[in-house]
């Protein structure tokens, strides 16, 4: 069971009771603009919170003073495991944008990855149009390593054709984190 604290936040495993807070932001189309999937109803969020409570891949980010979940972080080891590479991703409730919570939470996850898990490298990907996401990775001292044109799609046109999107890849190495 993971439970990490920062000055203002608790980063912990999901619990089934997180479904209402999860629904608060996953029910907003704009939040999912650059993400796979579509707007989720409360029942879907109940299932999601329950599923996510079974692993350490998705972590709830909560305000320390109220335990209100304001977002979540994806943190998962990539294959091959001997390369010691993890990928980070994040989604936050727009009500809490602009307060530095995402930076604070992601810094703690990077610290956990490098200091506790022995990560060699941590990567992150985002749509180039998602300026807030790539600026966050740059605040985390991650370096842009690539621009991948039309690398993936999350949605299709009405006639079923993929809507391809580009991605930036960012990364930071253990030795860069320590310095």
């Amino acid at each position: 069971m993971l439970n990490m604290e920062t000055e203002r936040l608790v980063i912990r495993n999901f619990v089934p009771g997180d479904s209402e807070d999860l629904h608060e932001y996953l029910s907003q189309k704009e939040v999912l603009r650059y993400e796979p999937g579509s707007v989720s109803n409360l029942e879907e969020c109940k299932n999601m919170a329950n599923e996510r409570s079974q692993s350490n891949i998705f972590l709830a980010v909560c305000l320390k003073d109220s335990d209100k979940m304001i977002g979540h972080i994806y943190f998962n080891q990539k294959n091959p495991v001997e390369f010691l590479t993890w990928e980070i991703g994040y989604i936050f409730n727009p009500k809490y944008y602009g307060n530095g919570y995402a930076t604070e939470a992601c810094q703690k996850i990077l610290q956990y990855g490098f200091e506790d898990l022995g990560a060699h490298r941590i990567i992150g990907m985002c749509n180039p149009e998602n300026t807030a996401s790539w600026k966050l990775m740059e605040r985390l001292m991650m370096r842009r390593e690539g621009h991948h044109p039309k690398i993936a799609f999350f949605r299709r046109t009405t006639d079923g054709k993929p809507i391809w999107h580009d991605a930036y890849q960012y990364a930071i190495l253990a030795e860069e984190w320590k310095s």
Side-chain angles (χ1 to χ4, degrees), residues 73-87:
I73 294 177
Y74 166 86
F75 194 62
N76 195 27
Q77 189 170 17
K78 306 288 286 173
N79 285 319
V81 295
E82 57 270 13
F83 286 4
L84 300 173
T85 299
W86 274 259
E87 183 174 4

Side-chain angles (χ1 to χ4, degrees), residues 97-135:
Y97 287 178
N99 294 296
Y101 293 131
T103 303
E104 187 174 327
C106 289
Q107 284 173 332
K108 188 66 175 181
I109 294 299
L110 293 179
Q111 178 184 6
Y112 166 68
F114 290 124
E115 295 179 9
D116 296 333
L117 299 178
H120 165 68
R121 174 183 172 82
I122 297 174
I123 66 167
M125 305 281 282
C126 73
N127 187 311
E129 295 175 12
N130 191 347
T131 307
S133 185
W134 60 259
K135 283 186 174 182

Side-chain angles (χ1 to χ4, degrees), residues 14-26:
F14 265 81
V15 295
D18 289 328
S19 58
E20 287 185 22
D21 289 341
L22 187 63
H23 179 255
E24 190 174 306
Y25 59 95
L26 290 187

Side-chain angles (χ1 to χ4, degrees), residues 147-152 164-167:
H147 179 178
H148 305 284
K150 297 185 179 184
I151 192 171
W164 295 99
H165 67 84
D166 293 4

Side-chain angles (χ1 to χ4, degrees), residues 27-131:
S27 62
Q28 298 179 46
K29 187 176 182 178
E30 186 57 31
V31 170
L32 299 168
R33 180 175 176 192
Y34 303 110
E35 299 294 329
S38 58
V39 170
S40 299
N41 64 38
L42 185 55
E43 191 60 36
E44 291 166 330
C45 288
K46 284 180 183 177
N47 292 334
M48 226 180 292
N50 189 49
E51 286 173 21
R52 291 177 178 187
S53 72
Q54 307 300 312
S55 78
N56 292 332
I57 295 173
F58 288 94
L59 299 169
V61 178
C62 306
L63 295 174
K64 190 185 274 187
D65 62 355
S66 66
D67 201 39
K68 166 84 174 161
M69 188 180 77
I70 62 169
H72 64 269
I73 294 177
Y74 166 86
F75 194 62
N76 195 27
Q77 189 170 17
K78 306 288 286 173
N79 285 319
V81 295
E82 57 270 13
F83 286 4
L84 300 173
T85 299
W86 274 259
E87 183 174 4
I88 190 170
Y90 35 80
I91 300 178
F92 280 79
N93 186 329
K95 287 183 181 178
Y96 301 92
Y97 287 178
N99 294 296
Y101 293 131
T103 303
E104 187 174 327
C106 289
Q107 284 173 332
K108 188 66 175 181
I109 294 299
L110 293 179
Q111 178 184 6
Y112 166 68
F114 290 124
E115 295 179 9
D116 296 333
L117 299 178
H120 165 68
R121 174 183 172 82
I122 297 174
I123 66 167
M125 305 281 282
C126 73
N127 187 311
E129 295 175 12
N130 191 347
T131 307

Side-chain angles (χ1 to χ4, degrees), residues 146-162:
H147 179 178
H148 305 284
K150 297 185 179 184
I151 192 171
F153 68 92
F154 297 147
R155 292 168 187 56
R156 294 180 180 271
T157 62
T158 53
D159 60 350
K161 293 182 179 158

Side-chain angles (χ1 to χ4, degrees), residues 159-179:
D159 60 350
K161 293 182 179 158
I163 301 171
W164 295 99
H165 67 84
D166 293 4
Y168 285 156
Q169 180 171 314
Y170 280 78
I172 185 169
L173 298 171
E175 57 262 27
E176 294 169 323
W177 171 259
K178 290 174 186 167
S179 65

